[in-house]
Amino acid sequence: MTPTLEAGPYTLRMLQETDAPAVHRLINDWSVVRMLSHLPFPYPRELADAWLAETRRSSSGGEAFHFAVTKDDALLGCVGIVLERNRRTASLGYWIGRAHWGQGVATAAAGRAARWALAALPIEHLTADVAFDNDASAAVLRKIGFREAGTGRKSFLSRGSEHPVQLFTGSREDIAPEPATTTNNTRRTVLVVAAALVDAQQRILLARRPEGKPLAGLWEFPGGKVEAGENPEQALTRELQEELGIDIAQSCLAPFTFVSQDVGRFHLLMPLYLCRRWRNTPQSREGQELAWVPADRLADYPMPAPDRPLIPLLQELL
Ligand SMILES: Nc1nc2c([nH]c(=O)n2[C@@H]2O[C@H](COP(=O)(O)OP(=O)(O)OP(=O)(O)O)[C@@H](O)[C@H]2O)c(=O)[nH]1
């Protein structure tokens, strides 16, 4: 089954019977058809219908994968991967309508199909060939990573004679795999809740991360990670009870701002709440140093990098 592939702004999808008029219009152009060895010129509409029927037959048999190259649902050209009989090699072919030349469509689309084929099919390498006078197409193959592999001869139906072709080959070593998707690249997001506890003198409570923990010695807002089954407010209530022995269950927690930052080990998402009332007096329950800090002194306390932009916001508020 031919998959749907994204290639930058282009989509590669399975060819359909309804593509016939567009296929015919784009191929029935001397500058396109003269580079394709097995097509006549003029190129009759019935051949487009027959070719589309054939691509669907060979695709369903797993012998070939023919892609329509589209942008905003308009057909720009086609890319095909056809397996050799031995199934250890496949050939890459493509054509792009003349109106879309010079925009990198062939490199993006043929490159995407080639990388997909090398990743998804049990082949050893891909081959391709281009007419001796098709420098643009040879440049596309080199950009994708193909290496030159000599010359051959092919009969060009449209030109009515045999002509030399340049042969190319590309293995997994030659053609770099698809870059990892954003999803694979992205660090997991960790939800941490924190509170700026503000006392009657408008001071903020900071806690110093104890030795042995990551970022030891830095000052931070009390709080911690949200655990499974907790919502952020429940997690903050638990953390402040555990760390400081205070009860904020009945307090008004005002969402103030949040941090969203890659911190290397993970992506930190940290809502910061303001809290002015609590029960009990905050005490160090986990060996951490505590400090009540006036807003204009916050910058004197070294904090983790994601916290620093919060300081001016608090200073403005208080
Ligand atoms: N509570 C709190 N955590 C912060 C702040 N700024 C900041 O980068 N963090 C980071 O958010 C994470 C908070 O997790 P935590 O305190 O529950 O956990 P931890 O690193 O002590 O590890 P643990 O899960 O072994 O207890 C830490 O990686 C900490 O460095 C902050 O102002 N308050």
Side-chain angles (χ1 to χ4, degrees):
M1 187 70 183
T2 306
T4 297
L5 307 173
E6 299 301 329
Y10 313 109
T11 301
L12 277 62
R13 59 150 173 83
M14 192 166 176
L15 279 162
Q16 298 156 1
E17 277 163 35
T18 49
D19 291 319
V23 165
H24 176 246
R25 182 170 45 79
L26 296 176
I27 293 190
N28 192 25
D29 173 336
W30 175 244
S31 56
V32 174
V33 87
R34 65 190 283 271
M35 300 303 185
L36 303 172
S37 59
H38 49 285
L39 300 182
F41 185 76
Y43 175 72
R45 169 58 203 268
E46 307 83 77
L47 273 190
D49 292 319
W51 179 63
L52 286 169
E54 169 56 20
T55 62
R56 294 178 73 79
R57 193 202 57 73
S58 57
S59 294
S60 61
E63 299 149 33
F65 302 86
H66 291 280
F67 298 92
V69 181
T70 65
K71 186 179 179 196
D72 302 331
D73 289 334
L75 188 83
L76 312 185
C78 292
V79 177
I81 305 276
V82 179
L83 285 146
E84 302 293 332
R85 234 176 247 280
N86 63 18
R87 303 243 159 183
R88 275 186 264 130
T89 312
S91 65
L92 170 77
Y94 50 87
W95 56 265
I96 302 295
R98 184 161 40 147
H100 313 290
W101 289 2
Q103 297 161 30
V105 184
T107 307
R112 181 71 178 91
R115 291 188 292 272
W116 168 79
L118 289 169
L121 305 176
I123 52 173
E124 286 163 10
H125 62 272
L126 283 167
T127 62
D129 58 64
V130 301
F132 67 103
D133 54 353
N134 195 349
D135 293 340
S137 197
V140 164
L141 291 174
R142 285 191 203 98
K143 260 190 252 172
I144 294 170
F146 279 87
R147 283 181 293 115
E148 278 160 61
T151 54
R153 289 189 77 76
K154 260 191 173 177
S155 165
F156 282 73
L157 209 53
S158 57
R159 305 195 209 188
S161 51
E162 220 184 56
H163 288 283
V165 289
Q166 266 186 284
L167 306 176
F168 287 83
T169 177
S171 64
R172 289 185 181 80
E173 284 71 46
D174 302 317
I175 298 172
E178 214 60 55
T181 63
T182 321
T183 320
N184 290 343
N185 258 343
T186 306
R187 293 193 168 87
R188 87 198 151 94
T189 296
V190 173
L191 182 58
V192 171
V193 273
L197 296 170
V198 182
D199 73 0
Q201 290 95 57
Q202 303 287 76
R203 296 175 308 174
I204 296 158
L205 185 68
L206 294 185
R208 195 169 196 190
R209 289 180 70 82
E211 285 309 317
K213 283 204 165 197
L215 309 175
L218 296 184
W219 295 86
E220 64 179 16
F221 301 100
K225 294 185 185 112
V226 176
E227 290 176 1
E230 285 182 327
N231 65 32
E233 291 76 15
Q234 287 166 335
L236 191 55
T237 304
R238 174 185 52 73
E239 287 283 353
L240 297 192
Q241 182 67 55
E242 288 170 6
E243 292 178 9
L244 304 169
I246 62 170
D247 179 5
I248 59 160
Q250 308 301 320
S251 311
C252 172
L253 286 177
F256 178 58
T257 184
F258 69 93
V259 164
S260 177
Q261 193 170 319
D262 190 326
V263 294
R265 290 174 296 140
F266 53 85
H267 187 98
L268 175 71
L269 180 62
M270 186 178 82
L272 180 70
Y273 292 83
L274 279 180
C275 180
R276 292 178 180 270
R277 290 169 55 132
W278 50 86
R279 287 169 59 151
N280 305 332
T281 304
Q283 286 174 348
S284 168
R285 286 281 189 90
E286 295 180 341
Q288 76 280 38
E289 209 178 321
L290 298 178
W292 283 103
V293 183
D296 60 0
R297 297 276 316 282
L298 281 172
D300 298 345
Y301 290 74
M303 299 183 90
D307 290 40
R308 286 174 214 145
L310 308 178
I311 296 175
L313 299 177
L314 284 163
Q315 288 172 334
E316 199 177 321
L317 177 86
L318 301 171

